Amino acid sequence: MKDINYQSVLDEIIHELAEFEDKGEVASYIPELAKVSPEKFGVYITGVEGQECYTGDYQERFSIQSISKVFALALAFKNMGESLWSRVGVEPSGDPFNSLVQLEHEKGIPRNPLINAGALVVCDVLISIFKNPKDELSAFVENLMGGPVNFNLKVFLSEKKHAYVNAALINLMKAFGNIKNDVEEVLDFYFYQCSMEMSCQELSKAFLLFANKGKIPLTNEQMIKEINSRRINAIMQTCGFYDEAGEFAYKVGLPGKSGVGGGIIAVNPGIYSVAVWSPKLNANGNSAKGMKFLEMLSAKTGSSIF
Amino acid sequence: MKDINYQSVLDEIIHELAEFEDKGEVASYIPELAKVSPEKFGVYITGVEGQECYTGDYQERFSIQSISKVFALALAFKNMGESLWSRVGVEPSGDPFNSLVQLEHEKGIPRNPLINAGALVVCDVLISIFKNPKDELSAFVENLMGGPVNFNLKVFLSEKKHAYVNAALINLMKAFGNIKNDVEEVLDFYFYQCSMEMSCQELSKAFLLFANKGKIPLTNEQMIKEINSRRINAIMQTCGFYDEAGEFAYKVGLPGKSGVGGGIIAVNPGIYSVAVWSPKLNANGNSAKGMKFLEMLSAKTGSSIF
Amino acid sequence: MKDINYQSVLDEIIHELAEFEDKGEVASYIPELAKVSPEKFGVYITGVEGQECYTGDYQERFSIQSISKVFALALAFKNMGESLWSRVGVEPSGDPFNSLVQLEHEKGIPRNPLINAGALVVCDVLISIFKNPKDELSAFVENLMGGPVNFNLKVFLSEKKHAYVNAALINLMKAFGNIKNDVEEVLDFYFYQCSMEMSCQELSKAFLLFANKGKIPLTNEQMIKEINSRRINAIMQTCGFYDEAGEFAYKVGLPGKSGVGGGIIAVNPGIYSVAVWSPKLNANGNSAKGMKFLEMLSAKTGSSIF
Amino acid sequence: MKDINYQSVLDEIIHELAEFEDKGEVASYIPELAKVSPEKFGVYITGVEGQECYTGDYQERFSIQSISKVFALALAFKNMGESLWSRVGVEPSGDPFNSLVQLEHEKGIPRNPLINAGALVVCDVLISIFKNPKDELSAFVENLMGGPVNFNLKVFLSEKKHAYVNAALINLMKAFGNIKNDVEEVLDFYFYQCSMEMSCQELSKAFLLFANKGKIPLTNEQMIKEINSRRINAIMQTCGFYDEAGEFAYKVGLPGKSGVGGGIIAVNPGIYSVAVWSPKLNANGNSAKGMKFLEMLSAKTGSSIF
């Protein structure tokens, strides 16, 4: 980040984004997401050498939803290593994120750990490894972000009530023998994980290890091996945006992950991590303004890894 | 490439690869491919600052097949710009490379330009743009590699005889209105393109512009815009290896493209391009030994872009 | 049945079937089905004018499984009339009986009431109509067969333990809004229904109303309208044998329904109903010997309705 | 037909149909079909004992299109016998009639001979059997209808120009090895067959053999075996109306086949054959008024075979 004044780039983008016509819509399948103010907008960029720049609602916590799948994946991968890939693939799905077609076709092995089915398998793996998987996941994330993480009980309970598609997915995988624990227990852990709340600032800090070869900059702790950090980035790049992963690679050129709460995290390996939050989603379920922001940030700073 | 002695890394890998048990099989759907010696093996690495290192059969020409799709894509993109994406997507396919299912589901718009259906659309686009598309493509490629390109007439004719799946694909797209020219003419151009022959040395040089921000190092000519060079790399990363794109990103971490002739090209943006050739293919249709070589090269040199 | 001596035809078939090499396998997904003797074989034919002929284990009760779907359908249709078809179609499925693909594609509306998904919708409908749907179904069936029906508690409990595919199906439909009641309650009723046990004699008698224009011959009660009786026969003809419905129409030419317990019922409208039982199933999940028997019976008596 | 006055039933239906609101649309993919007057309506019923009744434009020839598939099937089946089924199945398709999905999934073996893919295989079979398949087919049909058949050259040429979907289907099957002859030759024969023109009177007479156990009533010639006549009826019943086969069985309860020219033929085994023509098609590509007519005819005469 040495040669570029990120804060002035940030200001420039904010200025230009004022004219961005946001046709997205806030997620409404649970009341807790529906009632978030659609105008919220926050950005936080953290450099691997400690630089920071930010704007807007970067300190306000929001529901990170599917972004949490990356934490769960990192924790499972750290503990299971390569054997994890006998349970879930690393290929992009090329299908809407809830599709059962592919899962049935591929005998209950989800294509990757960032679609719902794959994230459910990761949860199942963590339940098999840990006595208290919820505590372990919390501790892992808190270690990364350097502070306490919050889980939203209302979101958790609401998600559980609307669990039918995920219940279909997990029962199908159970029928194929790819879920080892009780389906209710796995769903419970999955929704718990999805109810995590973080601010852009916290998210950006928590993902910095993926920009820093698996090491937490603050504590210098090698959390996951360098090669595994790169591999998780590779998975984020090819699978992190449902049916828009190719477009994100094309337009932004950074590994990343989005959540239905309107958050997006992106990682520039060796340089920075950036979190952006804007609740209105495009047709593919990704933050419309967040996508646009990252496209502009990447273009103006030449950040694309390609 | 400054801090690493690539030639000694290369020697080290060749030494270790001696124990690699190659279970792949040479492509046999046309006699011209079937009769290639399965033991052929060549590598050529070209740095953006002119460095070169190589081994084995790096000077022998082979059928580059689908690797040629990247040249056609670059030429079409250079001439059409973003409007190209109304005819073909940039999303990974998540399905075997010949599948008609997705094409039918998505109304004749192929998911990306590196699967067969998408490459046929690119050919159709070039036929609409140029009076002599074959000559234009040759000239484009010759400019990149700095020498004459060869087309193998026997391969061309053989491919045309076994064109049924591609004929199915193009007729389906024609039915959806996404092929503007005569289907026979498009197929003819497509198979012409696929019959291109190059050596590892030539391939590596020809792809160097994608490692060099769209500029041909030798002539300093800005062949395609920097941002478009990055975007083609992004497409190679997410779509370049059929149903193994995710695994290639995971294990190698470089944009690339494979061909059924056993060739693979990979690009390390800002640093080098590498071509490897080994005719025996794995179950996904990619060179088995070539994939292994690139995994080792990336690991030993820390080349992953992630 | 006037001009044909069915008993001697029956004897003739039994004689010829002695040479039938039965490559089928007994269903083994639950222990209660797996332990049934594979050599069991029974047949019972009942004519609309009271004729009867039979052979083998025709008095032994077996698990009728999916055959029960026809009873549930008849009861729901009797009460709902044509409005039932807003919830489930009448088209053959053309896909293996558990497939989720089609269900997802068609927004949670199962193609017909004789595949699992459709039968679950029928159960949901009955739960909405009746305070005690289990009692109502029992009473309906008992009225048809003229005696008490038996439900096997062990089968019921075993099925519930292996409910994952059906749980996937019902949750997917619930997500699409096509299940109105609690998914657990519907599954419970569904497995209860499937645990019904009847003998060939009882089955044959219970299905006689479909050969008798909707009227129970014994009591002369018009149970369902003539036209609806024909319509249920039409549904059995096009949808009664999963992915073998066309072949059953082709070879046997009678409406019918099979169950994974090895039972098959077939109806010759205006003439007779026939139940056959042989536990070993072919690759499509239908009784291998039962299919052969019915093909021979139809050929020898010219029973095909076509 | 003894106990029922079909002519007065016919008159009654015509009277009631006056209020039928026909929302269908005339096929428009080729000009020759588009220019047919949408108000045309004709019916012809022929009894196996020589009875006839008719109304409207029953003497006007129209493009029978897919109805011709039944003639080709009967001719191929007569010559090949059961071995035909190694090339094409007898199962309903459960998918729109042009879908390539199922064909790809099932390795180039079409599900039945009445969808386009299956009819192409039948054409391929006839080309392999006969030196002059067009002449043989003409002779076969002329023998059935007792007079000269007409092929419309303009329809034939127009169809060939819009052959893309069928070209996709046949090339895919060729890739799977299920087309033995040149694809162009098979397509040519297929479109020739589809360009057959007949009146309701001629169609009804030509299909009478399927109501008469395979025997032509006029000449008493046993054209196909009784059992094979029944089997073709069974295939018509389960597969004759694309994605509306189940509904036709449900509502009409007779084997039949429709064509995109607005014709429908239905067979009441042992009793009569009926042809109806009304060019406006419903969403499934079947004559809207024709379907309604047959539903009423079946209900009023109790003709359903179920």
Side-chain angles (χ1 to χ4, degrees):
Chain A
M1 293 181 73
K2 285 168 201 155
D3 311 328
I4 300 168
N5 184 334
Y6 274 74
Q7 189 65 52
S8 73
V9 168
L10 199 51
D11 295 345
E12 195 181 312
I13 297 174
I14 299 308
H15 184 73
E16 292 176 21
L17 269 181
E19 287 173 29
F20 176 69
E21 192 189 353
D22 194 343
K23 295 177 184 164
E25 292 192 32
V26 175
S28 58
Y29 68 99
I30 58 169
E32 285 71 23
L33 291 179
K35 71 184 180 197
V36 172
S37 163
E39 301 312 320
K40 293 290 180 184
F41 183 71
V43 175
Y44 204 94
I45 304 175
T46 317
V48 293
E49 286 161 7
Q51 313 94 316
E52 297 169 322
C53 67
Y54 39 82
T55 191
D57 307 306
Y58 69 91
Q59 286 182 305
E60 185 167 336
R61 284 181 164 173
F62 58 91
S63 192
I64 72 164
Q65 295 285 334
S66 289
I67 299 176
S68 66
K69 292 171 181 170
V70 182
F71 296 132
L73 167 62
L75 183 57
F77 195 21
K78 180 182 168 70
N79 283 278
M80 289 273 287
E82 294 291 316
S83 69
L84 179 60
W85 311 122
S86 64
R87 302 282 303 281
V88 57
V90 295
E91 295 301 326
S93 65
D95 257 331
F97 65 111
N98 281 323
S99 178
L100 284 130
V101 178
Q102 219 158 26
L103 191 55
E104 190 175 28
H105 184 63
E106 298 182 6
K107 311 289 180 207
I109 307 294
R111 286 187 76 87
N112 68 65
L114 300 183
I115 50 173
N116 287 15
L120 286 164
V121 167
V122 169
C123 286
D124 184 55
V125 162
L126 292 174
I127 291 171
S128 294
I129 295 174
F130 297 120
K131 204 172 165 183
N132 296 306
K134 289 180 180 178
D135 292 351
E136 295 285 340
L137 182 66
S138 297
F140 182 74
V141 174
E142 289 177 346
N143 199 357
L144 295 184
M145 66 191 265
V149 68
N150 187 45
F151 293 85
N152 185 318
L153 188 66
K154 279 188 189 170
V155 168
F156 171 66
L157 294 175
S158 266
E159 297 274 6
K160 284 190 86 168
K161 264 198 233 160
H162 298 79
Y164 302 118
V165 172
N166 287 305
L169 289 167
I170 199 168
N171 275 290
L172 182 58
M173 293 190 289
K174 184 84 181 177
F176 279 116
N178 197 25
I179 293 292
K180 309 302 178 190
N181 299 285
D182 180 68
V183 299
E184 291 303 327
E185 189 181 355
V186 180
L187 284 172
D188 177 89
F189 181 39
Y190 174 76
F191 290 122
Y192 179 78
Q193 161 200 309
C194 286
S195 73
M196 219 182 272
E197 287 185 331
M198 295 173 78
S199 67
C200 286
Q201 185 173 20
E202 291 166 332
L203 256 185
S204 173
K205 287 190 183 307
F207 268 78
L208 199 53
L209 95 156
F210 298 111
N212 197 38
K213 303 179 179 180
K215 202 183 279 189
I216 302 178
L218 215 65
T219 62
N220 231 0
E221 183 186 357
Q222 188 78 41
M223 201 60 165
I224 50 176
K225 288 186 204 159
E226 175 178 345
I227 197 167
N228 287 352
S229 171
R230 289 179 188 273
R231 286 173 165 180
I232 289 174
N233 285 341
I235 294 169
M236 281 197 270
Q237 185 77 71
T238 50
C239 315
F241 291 85
Y242 308 125
D243 214 25
E244 211 171 37
E247 191 156 331
F248 194 78
Y250 177 87
K251 286 192 176 161
V252 180
L254 297 174
K257 183 76 198 83
S258 65
V260 80
I264 306 179
I265 185 80
V267 170
N268 192 343
I271 307 186
Y272 67 77
S273 72
V274 53
V276 58
W277 175 45
S278 169
K280 289 161 83 175
L281 309 178
N282 66 18
N284 288 307
N286 301 315
S287 170
K289 197 172 178 180
M291 296 292 269
K292 189 68 193 168
F293 167 81
L294 290 169
E295 184 183 342
M296 294 168 81
L297 177 70
S298 175
K300 284 177 191 292
T301 60
S303 291
S304 164
I305 62 174
F306 294 110
Chain B
M1 293 180 73
K2 285 168 201 156
D3 311 330
I4 301 168
N5 183 335
Y6 275 74
Q7 190 64 54
S8 72
V9 168
L10 199 52
D11 296 343
E12 194 180 312
I13 297 174
I14 299 307
H15 185 72
E16 292 176 23
L17 269 181
E19 286 173 33
F20 176 68
E21 192 189 353
D22 195 343
K23 294 178 185 163
E25 291 192 31
V26 176
S28 58
Y29 69 99
I30 58 168
E32 286 69 24
L33 291 179
K35 71 185 180 197
V36 172
S37 162
E39 300 312 320
K40 293 290 179 183
F41 184 71
V43 175
Y44 204 94
I45 305 176
T46 315
V48 293
E49 285 160 6
Q51 314 92 317
E52 298 169 322
C53 66
Y54 39 82
T55 192
D57 308 305
Y58 70 91
Q59 286 180 305
E60 186 167 337
R61 285 180 164 175
F62 58 91
S63 193
I64 71 165
Q65 294 284 334
S66 288
I67 298 175
S68 66
K69 292 171 182 171
V70 183
F71 295 133
L73 166 62
L75 183 57
F77 194 22
K78 179 182 167 70
N79 283 277
M80 289 273 286
E82 293 292 316
S83 70
L84 179 61
W85 311 123
S86 64
R87 302 280 304 280
V88 57
V90 295
E91 294 301 327
S93 65
D95 256 333
F97 63 112
N98 281 322
S99 178
L100 284 129
V101 177
Q102 219 158 26
L103 191 56
E104 192 174 28
H105 183 64
E106 299 181 5
K107 311 289 180 206
I109 307 293
R111 287 187 75 87
N112 67 67
L114 300 183
I115 51 173
N116 286 15
L120 286 164
V121 167
V122 169
C123 286
D124 184 54
V125 162
L126 292 175
I127 290 172
S128 294
I129 296 175
F130 297 120
K131 203 173 166 184
N132 296 306
K134 288 180 181 178
D135 293 350
E136 295 286 341
L137 183 66
S138 297
F140 182 73
V141 174
E142 289 176 347
N143 198 359
L144 295 184
M145 67 191 265
V149 69
N150 186 45
F151 292 85
N152 185 317
L153 187 65
K154 280 189 190 169
V155 168
F156 171 66
L157 295 174
S158 267
E159 297 274 6
K160 283 191 85 167
K161 265 197 233 158
H162 298 78
Y164 302 118
V165 172
N166 287 305
L169 289 167
I170 197 168
N171 275 291
L172 182 59
M173 292 190 290
K174 184 85 181 177
F176 278 116
N178 198 25
I179 293 292
K180 310 302 179 189
N181 299 286
D182 180 69
V183 298
E184 291 304 325
E185 190 181 353
V186 181
L187 283 172
D188 177 89
F189 181 41
Y190 175 76
F191 290 123
Y192 179 79
Q193 161 199 308
C194 286
S195 73
M196 220 182 272
E197 288 185 331
M198 295 173 76
S199 67
C200 286
Q201 185 174 21
E202 291 166 331
L203 256 185
S204 173
K205 287 191 184 304
F207 268 78
L208 199 53
L209 94 157
F210 299 110
N212 196 39
K213 304 178 179 179
K215 201 182 280 189
I216 302 178
L218 214 65
T219 62
N220 232 1
E221 183 186 357
Q222 188 77 40
M223 201 62 165
I224 49 175
K225 288 186 204 161
E226 175 178 346
I227 196 167
N228 287 351
S229 170
R230 290 180 189 272
R231 285 172 166 181
I232 290 174
N233 285 341
I235 294 169
M236 281 197 270
Q237 186 76 72
T238 50
C239 315
F241 291 85
Y242 308 125
D243 214 26
E244 212 172 36
E247 191 155 332
F248 194 78
Y250 177 88
K251 285 192 176 161
V252 180
L254 296 175
K257 182 75 199 84
S258 64
V260 79
I264 306 178
I265 185 81
V267 169
N268 192 342
I271 307 185
Y272 67 78
S273 72
V274 54
V276 58
W277 175 43
S278 169
K280 289 161 83 176
L281 309 177
N282 66 18
N284 288 309
N286 301 314
S287 169
K289 197 173 177 181
M291 297 291 270
K292 189 67 193 170
F293 167 81
L294 289 169
E295 183 184 344
M296 293 167 81
L297 177 70
S298 175
K300 284 178 191 292
T301 59
S303 290
S304 164
I305 62 175
F306 295 110
Chain C
M1 292 181 75
K2 286 165 200 158
D3 312 328
I4 301 168
N5 184 333
Y6 274 76
Q7 189 66 52
S8 73
V9 169
L10 199 52
D11 296 343
E12 195 181 310
I13 297 174
I14 299 307
H15 185 72
E16 293 176 21
L17 269 181
E19 286 173 31
F20 176 68
E21 192 190 351
D22 194 343
K23 294 178 182 162
E25 292 191 32
V26 175
S28 59
Y29 68 99
I30 58 168
E32 286 71 23
L33 291 179
K35 71 185 179 197
V36 173
S37 162
E39 301 312 319
K40 291 291 179 184
F41 183 72
V43 175
Y44 203 94
I45 305 176
T46 315
V48 294
E49 286 161 5
Q51 314 93 318
E52 298 171 322
C53 66
Y54 38 83
T55 192
D57 308 306
Y58 69 91
Q59 287 182 303
E60 185 167 338
R61 286 181 163 172
F62 58 90
S63 194
I64 72 165
Q65 295 283 335
S66 289
I67 299 176
S68 66
K69 292 171 183 169
V70 183
F71 295 133
L73 166 63
L75 183 57
F77 194 22
K78 180 181 167 70
N79 283 277
M80 289 273 287
E82 294 291 316
S83 69
L84 178 61
W85 310 123
S86 64
R87 301 281 304 279
V88 57
V90 295
E91 296 300 325
S93 65
D95 256 332
F97 65 110
N98 281 323
S99 178
L100 284 129
V101 177
Q102 219 157 26
L103 191 56
E104 191 174 28
H105 183 64
E106 299 182 5
K107 311 289 181 205
I109 307 293
R111 285 187 77 86
N112 68 66
L114 300 183
I115 50 174
N116 288 14
L120 286 163
V121 167
V122 169
C123 286
D124 184 54
V125 162
L126 292 174
I127 291 171
S128 294
I129 296 174
F130 297 120
K131 202 172 167 183
N132 296 305
K134 288 180 181 178
D135 292 351
E136 294 285 341
L137 183 65
S138 297
F140 181 73
V141 175
E142 289 178 346
N143 199 358
L144 295 183
M145 67 192 266
V149 68
N150 187 45
F151 293 85
N152 184 317
L153 187 65
K154 280 188 189 168
V155 168
F156 171 66
L157 294 174
S158 267
E159 298 274 7
K160 284 190 83 165
K161 264 198 233 159
H162 297 78
Y164 302 118
V165 172
N166 287 306
L169 289 167
I170 199 168
N171 275 290
L172 182 59
M173 293 191 289
K174 184 85 181 177
F176 278 116
N178 198 25
I179 292 293
K180 310 302 179 189
N181 299 285
D182 180 67
V183 299
E184 292 302 327
E185 189 182 354
V186 180
L187 284 172
D188 177 89
F189 181 40
Y190 175 76
F191 290 122
Y192 179 80
Q193 161 198 308
C194 286
S195 73
M196 220 182 272
E197 287 184 333
M198 295 172 79
S199 68
C200 287
Q201 185 174 21
E202 290 167 332
L203 255 184
S204 173
K205 286 189 184 307
F207 268 78
L208 198 53
L209 94 156
F210 299 110
N212 196 39
K213 304 177 178 179
K215 202 183 278 189
I216 303 179
L218 215 65
T219 62
N220 230 1
E221 183 186 357
Q222 188 77 40
M223 202 62 166
I224 49 177
K225 288 185 203 161
E226 176 179 344
I227 197 167
N228 288 350
S229 172
R230 290 180 188 272
R231 287 174 163 179
I232 289 173
N233 285 341
I235 294 169
M236 281 197 269
Q237 186 77 72
T238 50
C239 315
F241 292 84
Y242 308 124
D243 214 26
E244 212 172 37
E247 191 155 333
F248 195 77
Y250 177 88
K251 287 191 176 161
V252 179
L254 295 175
K257 182 75 199 85
S258 64
V260 80
I264 307 179
I265 185 80
V267 169
N268 191 343
I271 308 185
Y272 66 78
S273 71
V274 54
V276 57
W277 174 44
S278 170
K280 288 161 83 175
L281 309 178
N282 66 18
N284 288 308
N286 300 315
S287 169
K289 197 172 178 181
M291 296 292 270
K292 189 68 192 168
F293 167 80
L294 289 169
E295 184 184 343
M296 294 168 82
L297 177 69
S298 174
K300 283 176 192 291
T301 60
S303 291
S304 163
I305 62 175
F306 294 110
Chain D
M1 293 180 75
K2 285 168 201 155
D3 311 329
I4 301 168
N5 184 335
Y6 274 75
Q7 190 65 51
S8 73
V9 168
L10 199 52
D11 296 343
E12 194 181 312
I13 297 175
I14 299 308
H15 184 72
E16 292 177 20
L17 269 181
E19 287 173 31
F20 176 69
E21 193 190 350
D22 195 342
K23 295 178 184 162
E25 293 193 30
V26 175
S28 58
Y29 69 99
I30 58 169
E32 286 70 25
L33 291 179
K35 71 185 179 196
V36 172
S37 162
E39 300 312 319
K40 293 289 178 185
F41 184 70
V43 175
Y44 204 94
I45 305 175
T46 315
V48 294
E49 286 161 6
Q51 313 94 314
E52 298 170 321
C53 67
Y54 38 84
T55 193
D57 309 305
Y58 69 90
Q59 287 181 305
E60 185 167 336
R61 285 182 163 173
F62 58 90
S63 194
I64 72 165
Q65 294 285 334
S66 289
I67 298 176
S68 66
K69 292 172 182 169
V70 182
F71 296 132
L73 166 63
L75 183 57
F77 194 22
K78 180 182 167 70
N79 283 278
M80 290 273 288
E82 294 291 316
S83 69
L84 179 61
W85 310 122
S86 64
R87 302 281 303 280
V88 57
V90 296
E91 294 301 326
S93 65
D95 256 333
F97 64 111
N98 282 322
S99 177
L100 284 130
V101 177
Q102 218 158 26
L103 192 55
E104 190 174 28
H105 183 63
E106 299 182 6
K107 311 290 181 204
I109 307 292
R111 287 186 76 86
N112 68 67
L114 300 183
I115 50 174
N116 287 15
L120 286 163
V121 167
V122 169
C123 286
D124 184 54
V125 163
L126 292 175
I127 291 172
S128 294
I129 295 174
F130 297 120
K131 202 172 166 183
N132 296 306
K134 288 180 181 179
D135 292 351
E136 295 286 341
L137 183 66
S138 296
F140 181 74
V141 174
E142 289 177 346
N143 199 358
L144 295 184
M145 67 191 266
V149 70
N150 187 46
F151 292 86
N152 185 317
L153 187 65
K154 280 188 189 170
V155 168
F156 171 65
L157 294 175
S158 266
E159 297 274 7
K160 283 190 85 166
K161 264 198 233 159
H162 297 78
Y164 302 119
V165 172
N166 286 305
L169 289 167
I170 198 168
N171 275 289
L172 182 59
M173 292 191 289
K174 184 85 180 176
F176 278 117
N178 198 26
I179 293 292
K180 310 301 179 190
N181 299 285
D182 180 68
V183 299
E184 292 303 327
E185 190 181 354
V186 180
L187 284 172
D188 177 89
F189 181 41
Y190 174 76
F191 290 123
Y192 179 79
Q193 160 198 308
C194 286
S195 73
M196 219 182 272
E197 288 185 331
M198 295 173 79
S199 67
C200 287
Q201 185 173 22
E202 291 167 331
L203 256 185
S204 172
K205 286 189 184 309
F207 268 78
L208 198 52
L209 94 157
F210 299 110
N212 197 38
K213 303 180 179 178
K215 202 182 279 188
I216 303 179
L218 214 64
T219 62
N220 231 2
E221 183 186 358
Q222 187 78 41
M223 201 62 166
I224 49 176
K225 288 185 205 162
E226 175 179 345
I227 196 166
N228 288 350
S229 171
R230 290 179 188 272
R231 285 173 165 181
I232 289 175
N233 285 341
I235 294 170
M236 281 196 270
Q237 186 77 70
T238 50
C239 315
F241 292 85
Y242 309 124
D243 213 26
E244 211 172 35
E247 191 154 333
F248 195 77
Y250 177 89
K251 287 191 176 161
V252 180
L254 296 175
K257 182 76 199 83
S258 65
V260 79
I264 307 179
I265 186 80
V267 170
N268 192 343
I271 307 184
Y272 66 77
S273 72
V274 55
V276 58
W277 174 45
S278 171
K280 289 161 84 176
L281 310 177
N282 66 19
N284 288 308
N286 300 314
S287 170
K289 197 172 178 182
M291 296 291 270
K292 188 68 192 168
F293 168 81
L294 290 169
E295 183 183 345
M296 293 166 82
L297 177 69
S298 175
K300 283 176 192 290
T301 60
S303 291
S304 164
I305 61 175
F306 295 110

